[in-house]
């Protein structure tokens, strides 16, 4: 069955939506990841980058696990 609380899948979904130009859906996915992992402050920067049209991980030096930076 589907696991809507699986943050890694939502993270990848957010990246995919962003790559497809589906900004609202990407923001929604990253917001959900943030709800599931409130200690991951760098997600706010990812959302700001989407809204500003910047590279997804621009300005993020620490906090993002290496495995999450490997885009599909």
């Amino acid at each position: 069955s589907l696991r809507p609380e699986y943050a890694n899948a939502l993270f990848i979904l957010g990246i995919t939506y962003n790559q497809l130009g589906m900004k609202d859906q990407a923001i929604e996915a990253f917001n959900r990841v943030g709800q599931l992992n409130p200690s991951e402050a760098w997600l706010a920067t990812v959302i700001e980058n989407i809204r500003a049209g910047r590279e997804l991980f621009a300005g993020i030096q620490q906090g993002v696990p290496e495995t999450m930076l490997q885009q599909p």
Side-chain angles (χ1 to χ4, degrees):
S1 69
L2 295 177
R3 292 177 50 202
E5 75 286 350
Y6 188 56
N8 287 353
L10 290 167
F11 184 83
I12 293 168
L13 184 63
I15 291 172
T16 302
Y17 279 144
N18 187 64
Q19 289 176 335
L20 293 173
M22 300 169 71
K23 306 299 183 192
D24 291 338
Q25 293 89 337
I27 290 169
E28 185 177 321
F30 285 116
N31 274 327
R32 183 71 182 124
V33 173
Q35 290 170 353
L36 295 169
N37 296 294
S39 65
E40 302 294 346
W42 54 269
L43 287 165
T45 303
V46 170
I47 292 169
E48 288 174 27
N49 288 343
I50 293 170
R51 289 188 175 129
R54 292 188 291 261
E55 184 70 31
L56 202 57
F57 301 110
I60 300 174
Q61 300 298 319
Q62 279 184 304
V64 182
E66 281 292 319
T67 56
M68 288 189 154
L69 290 175
Q70 299 171 355
Q71 297 188 21

